[in-house]
Amino acid sequence: MPPPVKSAYLAKRLAGLFLLGGLLLLAVLAGIVIGAKHIPPGQALAGVFSPDGSENALIIQELRLPRTLLGVAVGAALGLAGALMQALTRNPLAEPGLLGVNGGAAVAVVTVIGLFRVDDVLVYVWAAFLGAAGAALLVYLIGARGRSGATPARLVLAGAGINAVFSSLTAGMMLLSPRSFNGFRFWQVGSLSGRDLALFVRIGPFLLAGTVLALLLARPLNALALGEDAGRALGARPGRTRALGALAIVMLCGAATAAVGPIAFVGLAVPFMVRALVGPDQRWVLPYSLLLAPVLMLAADVLGRVVAAPGELETGLVTAFLGAPLLALMVRRGRVPQL
């Protein structure tokens, strides 16, 4: 029979997961109901499950349902990627861009716009994903050189250098090609609008594979947090854990960034807040981040529709406005959980 203290701890953590699941369902409902045209919840649900071809059903099927599903998928991906990045680097203020993901995606997108004159969003997705994967691989190869291997500090330094190079390349491409600037600026702001279910289907396999891999790394990451020697004594393999973690980050953050552009602060703030609630145990940090991040993403998307109605603010702008003050407040109060 398990000790009462352990049972109470487990029950509390599971209750938190169920609570976040309920909040996520409410956020999904709000994403479907709230917009420039108010649709009652009953009609909104009918438009999802039994569309009748009416105007409201078309709005739900063509506009709100795809962006809501994409918001859930992208939010979960960014939350998990942020938690992995912070665990791998042992830096509670790290974010997925440190692996060069955003920089690589940006270079790829601006290249296909400027050199190949492509205007297809689906082409942007594949270009950005390949750019993100290539950048992360380059960061890992540079960080792994030498006897010490791919330590957290070396990966961060390699990522910072690669990001600086890619930022310069992106800026230079936009200066030389006005077409690149005009097309890139709409992708760069980060938005869920204008995406359809075909996009969701294309990034779905990458997000699913990255999610499964991330959740399977919870125990190895806990062992790695104790240090290299202690982790090996517990059966962990630091090199393999870091490589698999980097692969999961590329699949999650790469696909998410490719689909909607760079969304600020979700991958940084959500794991930060989760650790303040449940501590550093990755067995809870990862699933909590998986549920809390899409809640924040959908809340930002809905808020962007409300505050600027009948127009809307892009999701990336709203997450920056929400995340930056919250993070600054937590840091000022000294609530920076150590890893």
Side-chain angles (χ1 to χ4, degrees), residues 1-29:
M1 184 174 181
V5 175
K6 186 175 181 179
S7 298
Y9 172 84
L10 181 61
K12 183 179 179 180
R13 293 291 179 259
L14 290 175
L17 287 177
F18 280 112
L19 176 60
L20 285 178
L23 289 176
L24 180 56
L25 289 177
L26 291 176
V28 168
L29 181 60

Side-chain angles (χ1 to χ4, degrees), residues 41-179:
Q43 295 183 24
L45 292 177
V48 173
F49 297 107
S50 56
D52 56 5
S54 63
E55 180 184 357
N56 286 346
L58 288 176
I59 292 174
I60 296 297
Q61 289 288 326
E62 300 295 330
L63 299 177
R64 296 187 187 174
L65 182 60
R67 74 186 293 172
T68 299
L69 291 176
L70 195 61
V72 173
V74 168
L78 293 177
L80 275 177
L84 282 176
M85 186 74 242
Q86 292 170 14
L88 287 172
T89 62
R90 301 178 199 170
N91 181 355
L93 298 180
E95 54 94 24
L98 284 179
L99 275 185
V101 172
N102 290 345
V107 167
V109 170
V110 78
T111 299
V112 298
I113 294 173
L115 296 183
F116 301 103
R117 300 185 177 276
V118 175
D119 294 321
D120 189 348
V121 174
L122 292 179
V123 176
Y124 294 173
V125 169
W126 287 109
F129 182 78
L130 292 175
L137 178 61
L138 182 60
V139 168
Y140 187 81
L141 291 176
I142 294 175
R145 292 180 63 85
R147 293 183 178 180
S148 58
T151 63
R154 291 171 65 90
L155 288 174
V156 170
L157 289 174
I162 293 298
N163 266 330
V165 172
F166 284 161
S167 296
S168 300
L169 290 175
T170 302
M173 183 75 74
M174 288 191 293
L175 287 174
L176 294 174
S177 172
R179 178 188 177 88

Side-chain angles (χ1 to χ4, degrees), residues 247-322:
L247 177 61
I249 291 171
V250 168
M251 287 191 290
L252 291 168
C253 194
T257 303
V260 302
I263 301 290
F265 284 102
V266 175
L268 173 62
V270 168
F272 187 94
M273 292 185 289
V274 166
R275 283 195 305 275
L277 295 173
V278 303
D281 189 343
Q282 297 299 323
R283 293 175 298 176
W284 296 109
V285 171
L286 293 174
Y288 267 71
S289 298
L290 177 69
L291 293 176
L292 180 58
V295 172
L296 177 61
M297 177 73 75
L298 292 179
D301 185 42
V302 171
L303 184 61
R305 303 182 212 175
V306 173
V307 298
E312 65 177 66
L313 289 177
E314 305 298 345
T315 308
L317 297 177
V318 180
T319 58
F321 278 118
L322 291 177

Side-chain angles (χ1 to χ4, degrees), residues 168-227:
S168 300
L169 290 175
T170 302
M173 183 75 74
M174 288 191 293
L175 287 174
L176 294 174
S177 172
R179 178 188 177 88
S180 297
F181 174 75
N182 290 330
F184 180 74
R185 63 193 176 101
F186 291 108
W187 177 84
Q188 188 181 34
V189 72
S191 175
L192 296 176
S193 64
R195 274 66 173 176
D196 55 21
L197 286 177
L199 179 60
F200 176 77
V201 171
R202 293 203 178 192
I203 68 169
F206 298 104
L207 297 181
L208 179 60
T211 298
V212 173
L213 180 57
L215 294 177
L216 290 175
L217 288 174
R219 289 184 181 275
L221 287 173
N222 280 342
L224 198 61
L226 300 175

